[in-house]
């Protein structure tokens, strides 16, 4: 629905589509097979001035919104979900700096991310602390005028390519999640090293690593925002702003798989006619197209709400993430189904979409966590939503009396 997008939105979308068609699509299968990073694609993104668009103008970016970011991620993911996240994760890594960093930190770290000269990753999860992000164990204890970081991070997307890492650690372990602080760690800091690269099911072009910190000494200037103790909130606010990007990745994947399924079903003949002219397949395609459009509009709405500067965005961000990523899983699975046996083989482009889609239901907060966020928000909004309603509960067991009160005659 181009009519609903601004000139700026369309400009980002069309440029990203051109990069996707010219540079990403021809490389997608190979990057999946070799699990290599598409450095040539990064060069194309630089040429098309699409790197770091979300970074404010005063730090070398475009000052573009989350909606523009989503439009770019969607187009890239339509051709390759791995390239989509390789791009989007730089926003996830830089949002903590944009939201909380000191002026000095912003000036140092944001400009090279804006130009694509440097890539960034986000280090929150640990082996024992995934959904329960507040239970992380990595410590960053004060030592002289700096901090010493010890511990391990897990599931660091972009780990192998990034040279800057936003990392969360306990500066005051006695305060639990209120003792968590954010740090900006540079790749060549002594005591910091990349751990194992995960052998992932999908998004294989981007490397997912463990990060190891062994007496890794960082100066006090590495403390995000120069303040200790607000790291957990900072990470949550970051995720609220980044989750629409995952949702946009999911919409792109669903759209890409759908287009292949549409094309295939218009060419493949069974029982003397194209499979598309069989109502069973036509109805599947109709549902897929409808679900994708619904997901897309929810993602764009969430992005617009964030871009409006609204404070409470966690519910809408979680909603778009849940809906779009569940849609992507369903649509890509149905696309494989439409391809039949061919869909199950790596010779065809379709199974990759399904593999790439699966992670979108998991990372940046599982869809179970998103539902938890939505459910908690509903509890908070309860009195506002239901102020004028009074429900008389008549059918309940009066345990004290041991008899039903108000039971129907
Ligand atoms: N914005 C601002 N503050 C927030 C917030 C938000 N969205 N969510 C919570 N907070 C604040 C709360 O107000 C509370 O503050 P006070 O102590 O002042 O009251 C504090 O944070 C604790 O909040 P909760 O009690 O709600 O915290 P919780 O322990 O119950 O956890 C959670 C909440 C939503 C489940 C959270 O842990 C969560 O989002 N978990 C998922 C983490 C996640 O997404 N990880 C993915 C990491 S990135 C990745 O996948 C890898 C990659 O590289 C792509």
């Amino acid at each position: 629905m181009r009519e609903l997008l601004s000139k700026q939105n369309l400009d980002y979308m069309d440029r990203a589509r051109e990069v996707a068609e010219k540079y990403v699509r021809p490389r997608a299968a190979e990057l999946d097979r070799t699990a290599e990073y598409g450095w040539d694609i990064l060069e194309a993104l630089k040429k098309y001035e699409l790197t770091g668009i979300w970074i404010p103008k005063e730090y070398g970016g475009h000052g573009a919104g989350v909606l523009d970011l989503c439009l770019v991620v969607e187009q890239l993911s339509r051709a390759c979900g791995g390239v989509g996240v390789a791009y989007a994760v730089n926003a996830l890594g830089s949002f903590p700096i944009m939201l909380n960093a000191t002026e000095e930190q912003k000036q140092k770290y944001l400009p090279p991310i804006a130009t694509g000269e440097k890539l960034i990753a986000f280090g929150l999860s640990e082996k024992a602390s995934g959904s329960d992000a507040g239970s992380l164990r990595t410590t960053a204890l004060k030592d002289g005028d700096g901090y010493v970081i010890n511990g391990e991070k897990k599931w660091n997307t972009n780990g192998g390519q990034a040279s800057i890492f936003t990392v969360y650690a306990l500066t005051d372990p006695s305060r639990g999640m209120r003792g968590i602080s954010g740090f900006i760690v540079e790749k060549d800091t002594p005591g910091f090293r990349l751990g194992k690269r995960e052998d992932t099911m999908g998004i294989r072009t981007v490397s997912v690593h463990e990060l190891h910190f062994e007496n890794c000494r960082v100066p006090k200037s590495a403390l995000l925002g120069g303040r200790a103790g607000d790291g957990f909130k900072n990470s949550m606010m970051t995720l609220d702003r980044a989750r629409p990007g995952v949702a946009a990745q999911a919409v792109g994947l669903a759209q890409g798989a759908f287009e292949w399924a549409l094309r295939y079903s218009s060419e493949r003949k069974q029982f003397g006619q194209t499979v598309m002219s069989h109502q069973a397949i036509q109805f599947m395609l109709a549902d897929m197209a409808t679900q994708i459009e619904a997901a897309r509009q929810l993602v764009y709405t969430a992005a617009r709400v964030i871009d409006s500067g609204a404070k409470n965005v966690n519910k809408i961000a979680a909603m778009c993430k849940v809906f779009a990523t569940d849609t992507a899983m369903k649509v890509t699975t149905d696309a494989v189904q439409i391809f039949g046996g061919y869909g199950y083989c790596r010779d065809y482009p379709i199974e990759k979409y399904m593999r790439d889609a699966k992670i979108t239901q998991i990372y940046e907060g599982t869809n179970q966590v998103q539902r938890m966020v939505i459910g908690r928000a509903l509890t908070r909004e309860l009195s506002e939503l239901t102020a004028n309603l009074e429900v008389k509960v008549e059918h309940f067991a009066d345990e004290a009396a041991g008899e039903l009160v108000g039971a129907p005659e």
Side-chain angles (χ1 to χ4, degrees), residues 276-354:
M276 193 183 173
S277 50
H278 292 288
Q279 200 180 50
I281 301 297
Q282 212 173 82
F283 279 12
M284 276 175 87
L285 290 164
D287 282 346
M288 289 156 83
T290 308
Q291 288 153 2
I292 294 168
E293 198 52 44
R296 176 179 290 122
Q297 295 311 324
L298 186 55
V299 176
Y300 293 1
T301 297
R304 286 185 172 113
V305 171
I306 295 170
D307 289 339
S308 77
K311 287 269 174 296
N312 295 323
V313 294
N314 65 347
K315 185 176 79 173
I316 189 78
M319 282 176 161
C320 82
K321 203 260 186 193
V322 162
F323 190 77
T325 62
D326 284 354
T327 297
M329 203 59 235
K330 171 146 196 334
V331 168
T332 56
T333 307
D334 285 350
V336 169
Q337 187 70 19
I338 288 173
F339 267 72
Y342 298 104
Y344 201 63
C345 299
R346 291 194 186 215
D347 294 343
Y348 287 80
I350 208 70
E351 56 82 38
K352 174 181 182 297
Y353 282 94
M354 189 172 144

Side-chain angles (χ1 to χ4, degrees), residues 138-149:
T138 296
T139 55
L141 302 180
K142 194 115 185 54
D143 183 50
D145 61 353
Y147 292 85
V148 175
I149 310 180

Side-chain angles (χ1 to χ4, degrees), residues 131 155 157 177-178 233 236 240 243 363-365 376:
S131 292
W155 315 123
T157 311
M177 68 170 71
R178 285 179 191 81
K233 275 192 189 176
M236 292 296 110
D240 289 343
R243 283 171 181 158
Y363 60 18
E364 292 195 34
R376 286 181 182 184

Side-chain angles (χ1 to χ4, degrees), residues 32-47:
D32 179 54
R33 200 172 51 250
T34 59
E36 280 168 9
Y37 189 78
W39 292 105
D40 51 325
I41 294 169
L42 178 62
E43 288 310 311
L45 288 165
K46 286 183 194 167
K47 191 170 121 194

Side-chain angles (χ1 to χ4, degrees), residues 197-381:
R197 176 177 178 170
E198 306 295 343
D199 190 8
T200 56
M201 175 198 278
I203 58 159
R204 293 184 61 77
T205 179
V206 70
S207 70
V208 180
H209 276 267
E210 287 178 356
L211 309 179
H212 294 266
F213 298 88
E214 287 145 8
N215 292 322
C216 172
R217 197 168 201 293
V218 293
K220 99 171 165 222
S221 60
L223 178 67
L224 192 61
R227 277 186 317 277
D230 58 4
F232 186 74
K233 275 192 189 176
N234 171 252
S235 71
M236 292 296 110
M237 288 171 71
T238 293
L239 287 163
D240 289 343
R241 280 145 189 83
R243 283 171 181 158
V246 177
Q249 183 199 4
V251 171
L253 281 164
Q255 180 69 33
F258 168 74
E259 288 167 8
W260 277 112
L262 189 64
R263 181 69 192 256
Y264 178 83
S265 61
S266 71
E267 288 175 5
R268 169 84 172 160
K269 286 196 173 147
Q270 290 292 280
F271 305 105
Q273 51 186 341
T274 63
V275 295
M276 193 183 173
S277 50
H278 292 288
Q279 200 180 50
I281 301 297
Q282 212 173 82
F283 279 12
M284 276 175 87
L285 290 164
D287 282 346
M288 289 156 83
T290 308
Q291 288 153 2
I292 294 168
E293 198 52 44
R296 176 179 290 122
Q297 295 311 324
L298 186 55
V299 176
Y300 293 1
T301 297
R304 286 185 172 113
V305 171
I306 295 170
D307 289 339
S308 77
K311 287 269 174 296
N312 295 323
V313 294
N314 65 347
K315 185 176 79 173
I316 189 78
M319 282 176 161
C320 82
K321 203 260 186 193
V322 162
F323 190 77
T325 62
D326 284 354
T327 297
M329 203 59 235
K330 171 146 196 334
V331 168
T332 56
T333 307
D334 285 350
V336 169
Q337 187 70 19
I338 288 173
F339 267 72
Y342 298 104
Y344 201 63
C345 299
R346 291 194 186 215
D347 294 343
Y348 287 80
I350 208 70
E351 56 82 38
K352 174 181 182 297
Y353 282 94
M354 189 172 144
R355 285 187 286 114
D356 286 352
K358 185 62 211 171
I359 189 61
T360 65
Q361 293 180 305
I362 299 172
Y363 60 18
E364 292 195 34
T366 63
N367 281 5
Q368 287 67 34
V369 161
Q370 309 305 322
R371 288 180 168 92
M372 208 166 123
V373 169
I374 298 164
R376 286 181 182 184
L378 291 175
T379 311
R380 278 197 305 276
E381 293 165 2

Side-chain angles (χ1 to χ4, degrees), residues 10-28:
L10 290 171
D11 180 46
Y12 283 120
M13 189 173 105
D14 292 343
R15 271 189 286 150
R17 195 178 180 92
E18 203 171 316
V19 172
E21 291 306 329
K22 273 195 186 161
Y23 300 89
V24 182
R25 198 184 288 286
R27 295 270 280 134

